[in-house]
Amino acid sequence: MDPGPGHKSGPENWQCPLLRHCGLVNYQIFVQGSEHFQLEVYLLDEEGKVVAQGTGGRGQLQVPSAHLWWPYLMHEHPAYLYSLEVRLTAQTAAGSMSDFYTLPVGIRTVAVTESQFLINGKPFYFHGVNKHEDADIRGKGFDWPLLVKDFNLLRWLGANSFRTSHYPYAEEVMQLCDHYGIVVIDESPGVGIVLTQSYSNVSLQHHLEVMEELVRRDKNHPAVVMWSVANEPTSFLKPAGYYFKTLIAHTKALDPSRPVTFVTNSNYEADLGAPYVDVICVNSYYSWYHDYGHMEVIQLQLATQFENWYRTYQKPIIQSEYGAETIAGFHQDPPLMFSEEYQKGVLEQYHLVLDQKRKEYVVGELIWNFADFMTDQSPQRVIGNKKGIFTRQRQPKGAAFLLRQRYWKLANETGYHQSAVKSQCVGNSPFTF
């Protein structure tokens, strides 16, 4: 996307329909089976009008006065999608044959500074969730009715983003994110990289191939704004430095348009992969996996965490996981672990610090987890992981209402806000916002 002549950016005019922008759509088309064919490429707007066209297997379409793809709650008309239509005419023994393929296309930019994450040149703050493709009836995997339910809940919550923890999700999920403006941190299945042999040349070669597959599949989704190459590796081990330097450089070569990260829970001084990421994504569970029950230590520990990471790397930071396990219906005052009050208390302590640091260099917060999910049995798991703000059956715990209030407050402060109450939904079950 290139700014057109006379374009100015300022707090008063940045949401003006962005009619001063010239959008650029680069395309490359691969055809198998014949060398005798012609290609025509058309870009259609939402009304079906052709706004740009080209020929051949590679080219660039220029879109004057482009409508940009904006995240949910960041613009009056989020998630604007064009249709890229490729028409092929081939000469065969049976005569002339034709076919066409249509791909939804969003025009937007992503950039990172020392303290901001920018979409279309404007600061974006991730207020979202981590998810799993999991529910109690079908278990793990893709389920259309469940997906529609989850998107309704995301929009009710005021969430503008999620991370595909810890593997690529079904393509239908990405398509809905494009359509509804839900921003995605797209994560590879690079989880469990913990042993020294996990950093072998064989593992690295496989990981490079996995990133090639992920980028090839998801590169055309405007909702995908960042690649995550791994979750919680032992990035303090000596081989990790070369491993992540190579892996991240490879991913950037595959797609220079998006930032790259991995999600760490290592110490800031010991992490050998952090120098190579564009955004620091940190997982921490203060007052859960240690200092049990002592919520009073959270603010000091969390503020120290952020300050140490930023002082060392001068990069924007996302709190990529935080939370506490809660069994729905358990109540204790004073709050005790596994009660709904304890989960809410932990979140409130995190939010106090996040509200301070998001004015400086923290660019997002993703709760762990959107919903309870099943795990292997162990003494630490009470019929699965119970850190969800919704149950595995998608019923809200008290923390869901706390987070909803926060996310809508953040949306009102940082993005487009309609004063009129509006009903929006996915499917046929509206929620009133």
Side-chain angles (χ1 to χ4, degrees):
M1 181 197 76
D2 286 343
H7 173 72
K8 296 180 180 179
S9 178
E12 294 83 13
N13 68 2
W14 72 267
Q15 292 185 114
C16 296
L18 303 159
L19 297 179
R20 291 181 291 271
H21 293 91
C22 178
L24 303 177
V25 177
N26 298 306
Y27 65 88
Q28 186 174 5
I29 303 161
F30 298 93
V31 179
Q32 294 179 333
S34 174
E35 296 181 358
H36 306 288
F37 59 85
Q38 292 179 321
L39 288 171
E40 298 174 289
V41 181
Y42 299 90
L43 191 71
L44 289 72
D45 64 16
E46 287 187 345
E47 286 71 46
K49 177 185 175 182
V50 176
V51 296
Q53 62 188 75
T55 58
R58 181 195 293 260
Q60 182 182 86
L61 304 180
Q62 296 189 8
V63 189
S65 305
H67 295 276
L68 303 189
W69 188 95
W70 287 100
Y72 176 51
L73 300 176
M74 199 174 175
H75 192 263
E76 182 180 5
H77 300 293
Y80 191 96
L81 292 173
Y82 292 89
S83 295
L84 184 70
E85 185 174 293
V86 179
R87 301 178 188 176
L88 180 146
T89 303
Q91 302 301 322
T92 70
S96 179
M97 304 280 289
S98 62
D99 199 0
F100 71 92
Y101 179 83
T102 302
L103 178 74
V105 170
I107 298 174
R108 59 107 184 91
T109 61
V110 174
V112 173
T113 72
E114 286 188 355
S115 60
Q116 292 181 313
F117 195 99
L118 305 175
I119 296 181
N120 298 330
K122 302 304 170 185
F124 176 76
Y125 187 81
F126 296 79
H127 45 89
V129 303
N130 294 275
K131 290 185 91 278
H132 266 302
E133 289 186 313
D134 172 87
D136 61 334
I137 302 299
R138 297 200 180 184
K140 296 186 182 299
F142 175 71
D143 184 346
W144 260 121
L146 177 70
L147 183 62
V148 172
K149 174 68 172 178
D150 283 0
F151 267 72
N152 275 326
L153 291 176
L154 286 171
R155 290 156 64 84
W156 172 85
L157 194 63
N160 63 7
S161 53
F162 67 81
R163 173 169 66 117
T164 66
S165 45
H166 304 296
Y167 41 84
Y169 291 178
E171 289 186 77
E172 291 87 346
V173 179
M174 301 293 105
Q175 291 163 2
L176 273 192
C177 289
D178 290 341
H179 188 72
Y180 290 103
I182 303 298
V183 167
V184 177
I185 300 173
D186 205 352
E187 189 161 271
S188 83
V191 64
I193 304 174
V194 296
L195 303 175
T196 302
Q197 51 265 43
S198 301
Y199 296 97
S200 69
N201 289 335
V202 173
S203 295
L204 176 57
Q205 183 59 41
H206 177 65
H207 207 155
L208 296 175
E209 293 169 1
V210 165
M211 291 312 301
E212 290 172 10
E213 294 171 355
L214 178 58
V215 171
R216 182 166 59 245
R217 194 198 75 165
D218 289 349
K219 66 180 184 297
N220 291 324
H221 291 288
V224 175
V225 300
M226 184 159 60
W227 305 111
S228 171
V229 299
N231 176 72
E232 294 186 347
T234 50
S235 47
F236 54 85
L237 294 179
K238 188 175 181 180
Y242 174 79
Y243 186 97
F244 284 106
K245 179 181 180 180
T246 304
L247 180 62
I248 291 170
H250 182 68
T251 306
K252 286 176 173 290
L254 293 169
D255 178 15
S257 71
R258 290 178 175 90
V260 181
T261 189
F262 70 87
V263 176
T264 184
N265 62 349
S266 296
N267 181 276
Y268 74 99
E269 290 181 304
D271 197 310
L272 300 177
Y276 308 108
V277 303
D278 297 301
V279 177
I280 302 290
C281 290
V282 184
N283 293 351
S284 57
Y285 290 92
Y286 298 122
S287 299
W288 187 255
Y289 290 120
H290 49 78
D291 299 309
Y292 314 130
H294 290 282
M295 290 188 286
E296 71 276 8
V297 305
I298 292 176
Q299 289 189 51
L300 176 60
Q301 292 178 340
L302 185 60
T304 302
Q305 167 198 281
F306 287 142
E307 289 159 9
N308 286 339
W309 279 102
Y310 191 73
R311 183 180 64 252
T312 304
Y313 295 104
Q314 298 289 299
K315 297 176 181 180
I317 302 172
I318 295 174
Q319 182 67 44
S320 42
E321 289 184 26
Y322 72 106
E325 302 216 21
T326 298
I327 300 174
F330 275 32
H331 296 282
Q332 288 290 324
D333 184 28
L336 297 180
M337 296 178 76
F338 291 99
S339 70
E340 294 200 32
E341 288 75 17
Y342 194 84
Q343 185 182 41
K344 289 168 64 177
V346 167
L347 268 57
E348 287 170 337
Q349 292 300 308
Y350 266 81
H351 295 163
L352 289 171
V353 179
L354 286 164
D355 280 339
Q356 297 169 13
K357 299 304 181 183
R358 66 186 174 90
K359 298 173 184 176
E360 303 175 48
Y361 47 75
V362 170
V363 297
E365 55 193 76
L366 304 176
I367 189 71
W368 187 272
N369 192 283
F370 172 73
D372 295 345
F373 58 94
M374 187 51 65
T375 63
D376 290 339
Q377 295 187 65
S378 76
Q380 290 77 36
R381 300 299 187 200
V382 186
I383 314 181
N385 189 305
K386 289 292 191 290
K387 292 191 183 73
I389 59 170
F390 296 97
T391 67
R392 202 173 181 219
Q393 295 76 32
R394 275 37 177 192
Q395 298 305 312
K397 303 177 188 178
F401 297 96
L402 174 73
L403 212 58
R404 180 177 189 251
Q405 183 179 29
R406 174 171 179 78
Y407 282 0
W408 280 100
K409 179 176 179 289
L410 289 171
N412 292 341
E413 289 178 6
T414 61
Y416 173 82
H417 173 57
Q418 291 173 297
S419 57
V421 175
K422 188 175 182 180
S423 175
Q424 301 181 22
C425 70
V426 181
N428 298 316
S429 301
F431 288 89
T432 300
F433 297 155

